[in-house]
Amino acid sequence: MLFRSLQYSLFISRTLFEGNRITQQIHGNLDAIPENENVDEKNVTERFFGLAGAEVSSYCGDKNEFLGSYHGYGNPEGIVCGDLGDKTSYNENSCGALSCKITLKAGETRTIAFLLGMKPSSEAAEVIRCYENPAPTVAEELEALKADWNSKLDNLKVSTPSPEFDTMINTWNAYNCFMTFIWSRAASFIYCGLRNGYGYRDTVQDIQGIIHLAPEMALEKIRFMLSAQVNNGGGLPLVKFTHTPGKEDTPDDASYVQETGHPAYRADDALWLFPTVYKYISETGNTAFLDEVIPFANKDEATVYEHLKRAVAFSLNHLGPHGMPAGLYADWNDCLRLGANGESSFVALQFYYAMTILKIFAEYKKDTEYVQYLEETQKAFGEKVQELCWDNDRFVRGYTESGERIGEAAAPEANMWLNPQSWAVISGLASPEQGDAALNNVYERLNTKYGAILMDPPYHAHAFDGALAVIYNQGTKENSGIFSQSQGWLILAEALRGHGERAFTYFMENSPAAQNDCAEIRRLEPYCYGQFTEGKASKHFGRSHVHWLTGTASTVMVGCVEGILGMRPDFGGLRIAPSIPADWDQFTIEKDFRGKHLHIVVENPEHVQSGCKALYVNEEKMEDNYIPVEKMTDQTKVRLVMA
């Protein structure tokens, strides 16, 4: 399929040259039809590579011509010979290359600007004209760019004994969060080029990573994703770029399935809304958002609160034979197809957590009857999950629709899974004893020097029909690879249990900033997360893949900020509950919170991993480790002493 797609792409592409720019056209043969009309939902798309501040001396729009025979990226023929050949492409691999000739007098300097943009040719010309005098324009724009990023990144700054932790939280993890927030999994040079929309679960999760940095940006995207929820409570598996709330087809419609390639609802999509909405309201104090009316994807509209109630109803209306949420098309793991009537423990734990959050919202709204309903439903459901999924020292992964139990200790393969253990703690379902036993099992069975593998042993000879991970080599992706996104949940789970050493260990094992001494093994940029790292069953153990295209930035940010740093806001204020390495004597946090600035100093004189001896706010001692928002001032000094 990938081969066919690349072949197809070859024959819809061509490059043109005009004056000071190369334009690449996709579907250029459709230039005769009006802009507002499409053929097979397609029209001309153009992007450009231009030059400002000098005249173009030669150009090339054909990659093979630019590289030349027996040449490569290290010595392209167009560079070696000094002339790009003035070639364009038609049914070839496109590129954009421009050259210019500049004569400088002694001591003279000159600035030129190369510009790359996704604009039609008519607009590209105007963009390039804005850079006729490049030096002051570029300088001004660079300062504006710095100011824009500082306005986002300065909302949380940490200074800890770990330079790796600081550089990731302060800069690179945050930057990665904004990139995935903007793009979700909508674009990838590795997988599929430009997709036809946003994945529901992916996008809602990505929002979480920037809430503490840019809550208004987060709010806009939360509204968008709520408008992509179907009125039955489920989420659209794929939200089209042309999404029109109130007018969309759904997986119940053959037209949606044909257009998107998604044949059914997924069990987990709408459940990601609960932690995301809760984190936003807790960070901002915007409880009025619960009453904001937002349309559903297909028809009708309702308050945010009602949207979330319908998400709970969706799960309750789609239960498997044991009474846990049905697997439907898939849960988070797309390579684990338990069947439409299979049951996922991961989704069951998400659902349990969702009811906890919705109960907080219901209590705030004084929806007494619904609070009682949730309490009774959650209690009965929790007992059921405990009975069905706890297996001595671990939580199983679920049940196939034929009743086979996946992830039990007696299974010859895949008898220990990562995500149910971390989510049992995050959800609050596991008892402290169960949580510690499950996490100990993870550390002993799944942990490696590059992070925890997704499950063990890999699938090979005993995979059930829905275990699609078996198609991958052992130690790769979902087949016992180190799935980076899951590391964030593991960091958070260990931190919630007060295990600071392990939480930080998991951060360091998978952190790009901590792997500069093994770049030849990792083979990925030192500043961004990859989707997965090859696990111990692979002969390339430690090699990472698929940069940027991952929800890791968000889950690790949440794990580090809420877990290791212990920044846990709620409706009334901020709880500070660090889980750190015992050898950290002290660290500081600069945090903007609801229009106030908090300067937080955490002292650890007894070298513990967690716990609070005393908390002072502007030198006033608090009752515990909680700061009510009314105690905060414009410049709030906070000192927490651990013990």
Side-chain angles (χ1 to χ4, degrees), residues 28-29 46 120 319 425 450 511 531 587 606 610:
N29 200 47
E46 292 184 331
L319 298 175
V425 175
Y450 299 114
S511 173
Q531 183 195 64
F587 66 92
E606 298 182 25
S610 59

Side-chain angles (χ1 to χ4, degrees), residues 459-616:
Y459 278 122
H460 178 57
H462 300 278
F464 69 99
D465 288 345
L468 303 186
V470 74
I471 67 174
Y472 297 116
N473 293 329
Q474 294 177 42
T476 304
K477 282 180 66 69
E478 287 91 345
N479 196 16
S480 289
I482 301 163
F483 230 83
S484 304
Q485 186 177 4
S486 295
Q487 310 307 303
W489 298 325
L490 183 55
I491 291 168
L492 180 59
E494 291 283 11
L496 290 172
R497 291 296 308 133
H499 305 158
E501 296 281 2
R502 280 196 191 165
F504 186 71
T505 293
Y506 287 125
F507 165 79
M508 289 291 287
E509 288 174 349
N510 197 243
S511 173
Q515 298 189 22
N516 288 322
D517 60 348
C518 58
E520 74 285 355
I521 298 172
R522 186 171 187 265
R523 297 188 185 182
L524 207 65
E525 295 99 317
Y527 46 79
C528 77
Y529 287 100
Q531 183 195 64
F532 77 97
T533 297
E534 294 182 56
K536 59 187 180 181
S538 168
K539 69 176 184 177
H540 297 297
F541 177 40
R543 184 170 63 179
S544 298
H545 299 269
V546 196
H547 52 181
W548 301 105
L549 189 76
T550 172
T552 307
S554 177
T555 64
V556 173
M557 181 64 85
V558 171
C560 290
V561 174
E562 294 186 16
I564 294 174
L565 298 175
M567 299 287 100
R568 301 174 193 170
D570 62 19
F571 285 16
L574 177 67
R575 189 171 300 280
I576 306 178
S579 290
I580 60 173
D583 63 1
W584 282 18
D585 295 308
Q586 180 178 300
F587 66 92
T588 62
I589 304 170
E590 302 290 337
K591 178 175 174 58
D592 292 334
F593 185 72
R594 303 189 191 178
K596 313 294 184 183
H597 183 77
L598 279 59
H599 174 71
I600 303 167
V601 178
V602 178
E603 300 171 357
N604 188 20
E606 298 182 25
H607 295 107
V608 297
Q609 297 182 48
S610 59
C612 173
K613 181 178 182 180
L615 175 68
Y616 302 88

Side-chain angles (χ1 to χ4, degrees), residues 12 25 30 44 46 80 96 109 111 120 143 148 161 179 197 205 230 381 409 420 426 448 471 490 495 512 517 585 630:
I12 61 172
Q25 289 185 335
L30 300 180
V44 183
E46 292 184 331
V80 173
T109 62
T111 300
E143 288 306 309
D148 181 65
M179 292 300 102
Q205 290 174 79
V230 183
F381 182 78
I426 294 169
T448 77
I471 67 174
L490 183 55
D517 60 348
D585 295 308
E630 57 267 22

Side-chain angles (χ1 to χ4, degrees), residues 260-338:
T260 67
H262 288 267
Y265 293 100
R266 294 183 301 216
D268 66 318
D269 276 338
L271 293 176
W272 293 107
L273 289 169
F274 291 87
T276 302
V277 172
Y278 178 77
K279 292 176 193 298
Y280 165 74
I281 294 177
S282 296
E283 185 69 29
T284 62
N286 182 15
T287 52
F289 181 58
L290 288 171
D291 296 316
E292 185 172 319
V293 176
I294 294 177
F296 290 100
N298 54 335
K299 60 182 179 180
D300 303 332
E301 62 180 20
T303 64
V304 171
Y305 180 56
E306 179 62 27
H307 273 260
L308 298 176
K309 290 173 75 172
R310 292 201 193 183
V312 164
F314 180 87
S315 292
L316 290 172
N317 290 331
H318 294 82
L319 298 175
H322 295 97
M324 294 201 308
L328 305 182
Y329 191 63
D331 65 9
W332 172 85
N333 188 336
D334 288 322
C335 287
L336 187 69
R337 304 286 173 82
L338 297 169

Side-chain angles (χ1 to χ4, degrees), residues 17 56-61 83-88:
F17 176 76
V56 173
S57 59
S58 66
Y59 61 86
C60 187
D83 189 323
L84 298 176
D86 296 345
K87 303 286 188 178
T88 57

Side-chain angles (χ1 to χ4, degrees), residues 619-635:
E619 300 183 357
E620 179 185 352
K621 189 175 182 180
M622 300 292 102
E623 292 184 0
D624 56 10
N625 62 337
Y626 187 75
I627 312 174
V629 71
E630 57 267 22
K631 293 290 185 179
M632 299 178 187
T633 57
D634 289 344
Q635 296 292 325

Side-chain angles (χ1 to χ4, degrees), residues 60-72:
C60 187
D62 185 304
K63 188 179 84 170
N64 290 335
E65 291 285 344
F66 173 69
L67 294 177
S69 300
Y70 309 108
H71 289 255

